[in-house]
Amino acid sequence: MPALWLLGVTGCGAPAEPPAPVPSSPSATPRQPAGEPGEGTVTIEGQDEAETVQRWTPPSVQIDPDQRAQARRAAQAALREGRLYATGDDAIPIWLALLEQDPRDQRARAGLRQARTALLAQADALLQQQLQQRQALAEAAGIALVLLTIAPEDEQVRRLQRQVETAQRAVAFNRAGEDDLRAGRIGEEGDGALDNFREALALDPDNARARQGLAAAESGLIARAENAARAGDFATAGTWLAEASKVRDASPTIADAFERIEAVRTATLARLRDQGLRDLATPQGLKAAREKLEAAMRIALPGDAAVALLRGRIELATHYGSFRPGQVFSDALRDGGRGPQMTVVPHGGFQMGAGPSEPGASDAERPSHYVRFERGFAMAITEVTVADFARFVKSANARPRATRRGHSIVYDERSGNFIRRSGVDWQSDYDGGRALANHPVMHVSVRDAEAYANWLSEQTGRSYRLPSEAEFEYALRAGSSGRFPWGDAGLPPEDSGNFTGSQDVSPSGRHWANAFIGYGDGYWGAAPVGSFRPNAWGLHDMSGNLSEWVADCWHASYRRAPSDGVAWFNPGCRGRVIRGGNWANAPEQTRAAWRQSQDSDTTSGRIGFRLVRGI
């Protein structure tokens, strides 16, 4: 109930000085519920969300002019008791009413300054409060609105408003991060706890709650790494540990976790080695020993002594060392990842080149000659992808040829021709657009391909290289001897590869002038690797998609060509060989024996590569 010096309380009073517009503070609320007689309210103005403004409207107080001295005493008493703004009996509404009657009332102005100082102190204490932060920030926001009404131009008040808004945003990010952690959304790939805690720290670098959140996220990633290691999946363990190492700089917990994981790896490898050696001592133990080796290779780092010992013993016991024909595997990389998937090509022999009467053949494909491989080799199942090549570029800080040169050869949809275009490199597609990660990498020279092979060799401790011409044709034929990789039929089998088919249509409606009649694969340009059925040896896109670099120098015929399948290479040669048809080749260029010369610096939207490695 207001004191006797009040004539009454209405809802139409106004402050002595008009408040400046205040930016919206979503969590700010008045200390008391609005809408009751004699109490201040927060109003929201503006039709647009971007223009929404919150204001504090003080309780309206009417004072009998003869009772001003009594009103001043009541305001001072309210100030001493800490009753500052919530009702019409509090200090600030009374002083505002006094100033409304007499704007020159210096005692009322002095009282408002005292109240402002007290409110600033209250708000600062609330901002420092660690417990019940949301409630404290809501109260601080309410105080900020009151201060902006009575002192809109005061820099301390403006600073308080900014502090409140920043703190509210930091609390919101921390709460979202904690919710993400409880839901298992650590956010190592974005949009999770890590992002939220980092956003909070960007607002407040000393925010202890956000730092604790990052530590908890790091612990979650370490737990995933250790669980993966205990399950025998050390590649995944390495990935999680690498993600954990990015959370905080120089965190000692990472080194401790690495030692624990490596201890599990070492013990697992020692057990597999001993079991494999015992298997080899039994008459039928070769298969079991190979299984132990395969398990060890999946988890071992390059150069591991336990794996090296077991592999060496098995190589003495079988023609394929530690492998078998058709086996699929990938080598571990030093960074915890895996190399390209490889398959073991069976050893054997074949007739290489074109026969004397083969339609469409050239003298460069003759004479046909017998080649034999005394030992199998491993070949990549698909062409090297953009993602594979990107890992090399980043790790080796490489600058491939097209990147340095600034252009490459692409297909121009407007003219229907292949043209040189600036700004195209290994990250580009056949038409110069951005290539997808699972597309075969193109616009690479043969030297770029060899640099990738050298890097992969260093990463894995294995010998990777470009295939020889003989290895490529042998793997392309996969045991067949016809004119085309699929035999002598002039039409490719359905889903057998990305070739020029009469049913293929370009984005602007073009058709091939020289194509396999009645065939269509749905692509104009390169397709993602592995989009079509593999050949009999499990290899994809050997005769289509992209032509591929091989290790040999160009020779105009096969006279004096090696018979053991090694690359026919002359140091310093610039003319190199590409093999296998591509998405824009004529049908006769899709034959199994087709070969073509290319300058070693050539980069094009029709040429990629794959690798082999010894076993």
Side-chain angles (χ1 to χ4, degrees), residues 172-188 190-198 213 216-217 224:
F173 280 124
N174 281 331
R175 287 177 62 83
E178 290 158 4
D179 289 341
D180 284 333
L181 283 181
R182 284 189 287 270
R185 297 186 298 268
I186 296 178
E188 66 281 355
D191 193 29
L194 289 173
D195 274 1
N196 282 309
F197 293 133
R198 285 167 177 154
R224 291 182 183 180

Side-chain angles (χ1 to χ4, degrees), residues 383-387 389-390 393 400-403 405 407-411 418 424-446 448-449 498 524-529 545-549 582-583 602-609:
E383 295 146 327
V384 171
T385 66
V386 172
F389 202 78
V393 170
R401 183 70 177 112
T403 303
R405 184 167 53 196
H407 62 78
S408 186
I409 303 299
V410 301
Y411 174 77
F418 283 86
V424 175
D425 67 2
W426 62 271
Q427 300 172 92
S428 305
D429 205 344
Y430 75 100
D431 59 357
R434 187 77 173 183
L436 299 178
N438 64 343
H439 274 201
V441 68
M442 57 194 86
H443 304 294
V444 289
S445 71
V446 69
D448 296 332
N498 184 8
W524 189 281
V529 299
N545 218 25
L546 294 182
S547 297
E548 300 179 28
W549 290 110
N582 63 66
W583 62 272
T602 296
T603 61
S604 166
R606 292 194 287 180
I607 302 175
F609 72 97

Side-chain angles (χ1 to χ4, degrees), residues 198-248:
R198 285 167 177 154
E199 290 285 359
L201 286 172
L203 293 168
D204 179 9
D206 297 322
N207 193 294
R209 184 174 175 183
R211 294 190 179 280
Q212 291 171 355
L214 285 182
E218 179 188 85
S219 297
L221 291 170
I222 289 173
R224 291 182 183 180
E226 293 180 342
N227 288 337
R230 285 190 287 271
D233 189 352
F234 289 89
T236 300
T239 299
W240 288 128
L241 198 58
E243 292 296 334
S245 70
K246 301 174 186 176
V247 174
R248 299 188 296 169

Side-chain angles (χ1 to χ4, degrees), residues 354 358-362 365 472-473 476-477 480-493 496-502 504 512 514-517 519 521 541-548 578-596 606:
E358 180 174 311
S362 70
E365 300 165 9
F472 192 96
E473 185 173 331
L476 179 150
R477 290 183 179 275
S480 70
S481 59
R483 181 186 178 205
F484 295 101
W486 55 85
D488 289 321
L491 185 66
S496 58
N498 184 8
F499 314 120
T500 52
S502 64
D504 294 336
W512 297 113
N514 186 12
F516 291 105
I517 304 301
Y519 183 79
D521 51 57
D541 303 320
M542 292 293 294
S543 56
N545 218 25
L546 294 182
S547 297
E548 300 179 28
I578 60 171
R579 293 299 304 258
N582 63 66
W583 62 272
N585 267 8
E588 60 266 26
Q589 294 173 317
T590 311
R591 293 176 300 106
W594 179 78
R595 61 197 295 262
Q596 189 174 82
R606 292 194 287 180

Side-chain angles (χ1 to χ4, degrees), residues 294-315:
E294 290 166 10
M297 289 180 67
R298 283 194 294 271
I299 65 174
L301 297 174
D304 184 87
V307 172
L309 175 61
L310 182 57
R311 182 176 54 248
R313 294 288 297 274
I314 294 177
E315 284 175 349

Side-chain angles (χ1 to χ4, degrees), residues 48 50 142 161 194 206 251 256 274 276 293 308-309 349 356 386 400 443 446 448 451 460 463 484 513 537 555:
D48 240 32
Q161 180 199 23
L194 289 173
D206 297 322
S251 173
D256 294 341
D274 294 344
L293 178 64
L309 175 61
V386 172
H443 304 294
V446 69
D448 296 332
T460 61
S463 179
F484 295 101
W537 288 350
H555 296 84

Side-chain angles (χ1 to χ4, degrees), residues 148-500:
L148 284 165
T149 299
I150 65 175
E153 302 302 326
D154 187 284
E155 180 53 35
Q156 285 183 296
V157 172
R158 290 290 180 178
R159 183 165 60 252
L160 170 63
Q161 180 199 23
R162 293 192 294 269
Q163 289 174 331
V164 168
E165 291 174 352
T166 298
Q168 287 175 324
R169 292 173 63 196
V171 166
F173 280 124
N174 281 331
R175 287 177 62 83
E178 290 158 4
D179 289 341
D180 284 333
L181 283 181
R182 284 189 287 270
R185 297 186 298 268
I186 296 178
E188 66 281 355
E189 297 179 355
D191 193 29
L194 289 173
D195 274 1
N196 282 309
F197 293 133
R198 285 167 177 154
E199 290 285 359
L201 286 172
L203 293 168
D204 179 9
D206 297 322
N207 193 294
R209 184 174 175 183
R211 294 190 179 280
Q212 291 171 355
L214 285 182
E218 179 188 85
S219 297
L221 291 170
I222 289 173
R224 291 182 183 180
E226 293 180 342
N227 288 337
R230 285 190 287 271
D233 189 352
F234 289 89
T236 300
T239 299
W240 288 128
L241 198 58
E243 292 296 334
S245 70
K246 301 174 186 176
V247 174
R248 299 188 296 169
D249 293 336
S251 173
T253 58
I254 301 299
D256 294 341
F258 179 81
E259 291 180 3
R260 292 193 297 273
I261 289 172
E262 286 308 300
V264 175
R265 189 201 304 268
T266 299
T268 304
L269 288 171
R271 184 180 70 254
L272 289 169
R273 175 202 60 202
D274 294 344
Q275 289 174 348
L277 292 175
R278 286 196 295 270
D279 289 335
L280 286 175
T282 65
Q284 304 297 325
L286 184 58
K287 179 180 179 181
R290 284 177 176 169
E291 291 170 351
K292 304 298 189 305
L293 178 64
E294 290 166 10
M297 289 180 67
R298 283 194 294 271
I299 65 174
L301 297 174
D304 184 87
V307 172
L309 175 61
L310 182 57
R311 182 176 54 248
R313 294 288 297 274
I314 294 177
E315 284 175 349
L316 296 176
T318 178
H319 186 76
Y320 290 99
S322 59
F323 299 92
R324 61 185 183 275
Q327 180 180 339
V328 175
F329 68 94
S330 65
D331 288 326
L333 305 182
R334 289 178 181 172
D335 62 6
R338 309 296 300 187
Q341 275 204 319
M342 313 289 288
T343 187
V344 177
V345 176
H347 77 291
F350 80 116
Q351 198 69 22
M352 182 176 180
S357 59
E358 180 174 311
S362 70
D363 289 340
E365 300 165 9
R366 301 184 180 104
S368 175
H369 57 290
Y370 186 75
V371 175
R372 180 164 183 81
F373 299 94
E374 295 298 334
R375 188 175 180 85
F377 58 91
M379 176 172 273
I381 290 174
T382 69
E383 295 146 327
V384 171
T385 66
V386 172
D388 293 333
F389 202 78
R391 193 170 198 166
F392 150 67
V393 170
K394 181 178 180 181
S395 174
N397 198 24
R399 297 193 74 242
R401 183 70 177 112
T403 303
R404 288 181 281 114
R405 184 167 53 196
H407 62 78
S408 186
I409 303 299
V410 301
Y411 174 77
D412 179 53
E413 179 66 26
R414 183 167 55 180
S415 65
N417 296 319
F418 283 86
I419 63 171
R420 189 174 77 178
R421 180 170 294 165
S422 298
V424 175
D425 67 2
W426 62 271
Q427 300 172 92
S428 305
D429 205 344
Y430 75 100
D431 59 357
R434 187 77 173 183
L436 299 178
N438 64 343
H439 274 201
V441 68
M442 57 194 86
H443 304 294
V444 289
S445 71
V446 69
R447 291 188 176 91
D448 296 332
E450 289 168 340
Y452 173 84
N454 291 336
W455 170 82
L456 192 58
S457 298
E458 293 171 0
Q459 282 282 311
T460 61
R462 304 297 177 195
S463 179
Y464 283 87
R465 56 179 173 80
L466 287 175
S468 68
E469 265 203 272
E471 286 171 331
F472 192 96
E473 185 173 331
Y474 178 63
L476 179 150
R477 290 183 179 275
S480 70
S481 59
R483 181 186 178 205
F484 295 101
W486 55 85
D488 289 321
L491 185 66
E494 184 179 353
D495 194 38
S496 58
N498 184 8
F499 314 120
T500 52

Side-chain angles (χ1 to χ4, degrees), residues 79-100:
L79 176 64
R80 288 191 299 272
E81 294 169 10
R83 294 183 289 105
L84 298 179
Y85 65 90
T87 72
D89 291 331
D90 294 340
I92 291 174
I94 297 173
W95 280 321
L96 290 175
L98 288 167
L99 284 169
E100 184 180 18

